[in-house]
Amino acid sequence: MDYLRGFIAWIAFAVVSSYSLQWGAVAGLAVGVGVLAKELRSGTRAEALVLEGSGALFFAVLTGLAFAFPRGPLAEYSGALSLAWLAVTAWGTVAVRRPFTTGIAKRQAPPAVWETPLFRRINTVLTSAWATAFTVTAGGVAAVHAAGVGGGIPVLCQIAGFVLPMLFTGQYLKKVRARQAAHAVR
């Protein structure tokens, strides 16, 4: 559930922005900065707060833009834009070989495994799965808006963009643990 903490600001934004882009951006910013400050004060390492830091930056910029340009494509495509930002964040952490899931995993895994190839591989796979989901979802949400499809379709796309990688994470970790247990028995 450590992953959920990183998405709290995005969830606040999604809920409030369905009523008002400006106040959704403010909500995302307030929650994002609040969570980031709380976690830093409690001693959480910065590497475990990549999503929170990225979110605070995104919502600071979005808040300014939302109040400067309250109408137009920004409001319509803000959901896709936020997912694209998450995709860039996730792919960026993979590109610099510091997958965002690593800091989260270090809160649960013993220090003895942190530098192992398996630990690094697991986090690269997990972050890549999240990055792929964000990328596909951003494109899907943008396409839905461009096609003029309204209703709950964009929301369902966004929910799937978070639920599917969450499910993948759980299943992938179970598989890795089972493989490790099988090797330990031999």
Side-chain angles (χ1 to χ4, degrees):
M1 283 311 201
D2 274 346
Y3 289 99
L4 188 57
R5 182 197 70 232
F7 297 119
I8 292 172
W10 303 94
I11 294 167
F13 166 69
V15 170
V16 179
S17 69
S18 65
Y19 302 102
S20 163
L21 173 63
Q22 293 88 349
W23 297 113
V26 169
L29 178 60
V31 171
V33 168
V35 169
L36 186 59
K38 176 190 171 289
E39 291 296 325
L40 287 170
R41 276 193 312 273
S42 73
T44 302
R45 296 171 64 177
E47 73 175 330
L49 299 170
V50 172
L51 292 178
E52 292 84 352
S54 177
L57 176 60
F58 175 80
F59 290 120
V61 171
L62 184 62
T63 297
L65 291 173
F67 280 96
F69 307 102
R71 289 174 185 59
L74 182 62
E76 192 173 335
Y77 288 93
S78 64
L81 183 61
S82 67
L83 286 157
W85 182 272
L86 282 167
V88 168
T89 299
W91 285 122
T93 66
V94 171
V96 299
R97 297 181 182 201
R98 298 187 61 88
F100 82 83
T101 58
T102 302
I104 298 165
K106 283 183 177 180
R107 295 179 79 175
Q108 300 166 1
V113 302
W114 292 357
E115 299 304 321
T116 64
L118 178 61
F119 186 78
R120 287 192 297 271
R121 175 75 180 136
I122 288 168
N123 283 289
T124 299
V125 168
L126 291 177
T127 300
S128 296
W130 282 93
T132 299
F134 295 147
T135 303
V136 169
T137 305
V141 170
V144 164
H145 281 299
V149 178
I153 301 300
V155 173
L156 291 175
C157 289
Q158 290 174 332
I159 290 170
F162 285 94
V163 171
L164 293 175
M166 204 177 296
L167 293 173
F168 173 80
T169 297
Q171 290 303 311
Y172 181 73
L173 291 175
K174 279 183 192 174
K175 219 180 251 188
V176 168
R177 287 183 188 119
R179 227 179 294 147
Q180 289 300 105
H183 286 291
V185 171
R186 291 183 194 176

